[in-house]
Amino acid sequence: MNEPYIVKISDSDAMMFGCEADERVSEFVAKFDGWEYESEFERISYLLGTDVFIEVASEESLNEGALRAQIPNEKALDADGGTTFLSLREWDGKEHWRVRASDEILRAISEDEDGGAAYLLLSPRHIAAEELRNAFEGRAPQEFARIIEALEAKYDCKDRMLCYVVCYFTPKGKEGMRTDFGVQI
């Protein structure tokens, strides 16, 4: 029950959660430690879209051997007859994990056709999706530090939770990154 998942927290925001007990999440934390940039909000940092990003992809377009983390009881958005996922990946094609994307979540993180951003919360302990939704739903990012500290205390997290803002790219936004920054895939 340590697999990554994603929840909608406002009309325009979603939060992807990863537990470090999941080997993929632990590997991601180890790789990107120190790559983050401070944001205007306490306890939230940015990971640049030229390093790692979230994209929408059909099951058919993702590597068959990659591991899959699905959200139970979410209505999946069908694309070309298959399931649509949000995939956390690097430009060289390495996928860290994927979560099933509902239409509601895609709308929340895709304010325009270029893409947007999602919050990525990484924790040493598993937290239920419903609890995350209840804790963050309707809250401004300025409040996230207090919420994260309360969750750390509740779950006795000796290691701090990490909260990042990660770029979400639609196909048009991804093409723009290729053009503007010369990133390759």
Side-chain angles (χ1 to χ4, degrees):
M1 199 56 188
N2 290 323
E3 292 182 333
Y5 59 82
I6 191 164
V7 293
K8 180 177 176 241
I9 58 173
S10 76
D11 288 342
S12 61
D13 294 306
M15 179 168 283
M16 188 182 284
F17 175 79
C19 176
E20 291 176 37
D22 184 304
E23 182 178 297
R24 297 164 294 175
V25 178
S26 182
E27 180 184 308
F28 178 86
V29 170
K31 176 160 189 173
F32 288 95
D33 181 41
W35 289 31
E36 66 272 10
Y37 293 83
E38 288 184 18
S39 76
E40 64 273 32
F41 306 121
E42 187 185 356
R43 300 288 299 271
I44 301 176
S45 298
Y46 295 113
L47 283 172
L48 292 184
T50 52
D51 297 326
V52 65
F53 62 95
I54 296 169
E55 74 168 341
V56 64
S58 69
E59 189 169 18
E60 293 77 23
S61 70
L62 295 168
N63 294 334
E64 286 298 318
L67 295 173
R68 204 173 298 142
Q70 297 185 4
I71 308 171
N73 304 320
E74 286 281 5
K75 179 177 175 263
L77 177 71
D78 287 335
D80 300 325
T83 301
T84 302
F85 293 90
L86 291 176
S87 174
L88 181 69
R89 59 198 312 114
E90 297 175 48
W91 284 99
D92 66 3
K94 177 174 174 52
E95 181 183 59
H96 290 277
W97 63 79
R98 68 181 78 157
V99 295
R100 183 178 289 181
S102 70
D103 193 24
E104 176 188 38
I105 287 172
L106 287 175
R107 276 195 309 271
I109 66 172
S110 184
E111 293 181 306
D112 61 51
E113 58 186 13
D114 292 328
Y119 296 97
L120 173 61
L121 184 64
L122 305 175
S123 168
R125 303 267 189 280
H126 180 79
I127 300 173
E130 195 58 40
E131 183 165 359
L132 268 193
R133 188 180 292 109
N134 290 340
F136 287 95
E137 191 169 37
R139 303 294 199 290
Q142 296 93 319
E143 297 180 63
F144 284 11
R146 180 186 53 77
I147 297 168
I148 292 168
E149 287 168 359
L151 289 171
E152 286 171 340
K154 178 176 181 177
Y155 285 91
D156 190 28
C157 293
K158 293 176 177 51
D159 300 320
R160 288 173 24 135
M161 291 184 187
L162 304 172
C163 191
Y164 298 118
V165 176
V166 183
C167 291
Y168 162 84
F169 293 134
T170 62
K172 182 180 177 208
K174 195 172 169 188
E175 190 55 43
M177 287 294 287
R178 281 194 190 105
T179 303
D180 296 342
F181 294 97
V183 290
Q184 300 292 324
I185 189 165

